[in-house]
Amino acid sequence: PLMQQWRGKPLDAKAAAKIFVGHLDHAAAPEGSQKLPWSWKIVCGANPAYDAFPQQHQIFYPAGAGESDEMAQGGSLWYDPVFLVETVDGRKVWCKRHYRCTPRRVAPELRAPGDSSAGAWTLSTLDNGIVSLEVCVCVCGCNGNGNN
């Protein structure tokens, strides 16, 4: 199920986007952000894709000119993972992808009270000529007080 509350309030589209923007040094970051050059760093993976690319930096930021208005209305984000790849000949190369993150509706049984799908995203990118679609959901987030 989707995360239902964040910082004592029902999770809405703006709060879900702020969780993704995370610690990035950006005006759209939540209060208490560490103001870093990245939103999140992957330190361990739940799937082989994350484990295969160490030192992954995830960067999420609002798409569009009216960033705060767009976030408040459940607008899109950009997601730029930057990761280290070891080539077959042993070289280490930094690589980057560029994804569009759009809010999506989830099945009724997964929605939060009030029929909310806030925190459910579709991530899309063009990868070597193939459109890649991934789904992502917010299931937990630090409330800013050390408690999840």
Side-chain angles (χ1 to χ4, degrees), residues 22-73:
H23 295 291
L24 184 65
D25 187 5
H26 191 284
E31 184 179 327
S33 165
Q34 294 180 21
K35 307 294 182 193
L36 300 170
W38 56 80
S39 300
W40 301 101
K41 270 189 116 164
I42 300 296
V43 294
C44 69
N47 69 46
Y50 287 126
D51 292 337
F53 303 114
Q55 301 184 40
Q56 188 172 139
H57 300 75
Q58 295 186 325
I59 303 167
F60 291 91
Y61 53 97
E67 295 175 349
S68 16
D69 292 340
E70 188 168 335
M71 279 179 55
Q73 297 169 12

Side-chain angles (χ1 to χ4, degrees), residues 85-117:
V85 173
E86 187 170 339
T87 64
V88 291
D89 60 0
R91 293 178 297 119
K92 294 187 180 201
V93 179
W94 284 99
C95 295
K96 176 180 174 181
R97 288 275 188 266
H98 185 64
Y99 289 80
R100 177 107 180 167
C101 304
T102 53
R104 68 181 174 86
R105 297 283 288 164
V106 296
E109 63 272 14
L110 299 176
R111 293 182 195 148
D115 201 38
S116 175
S117 287

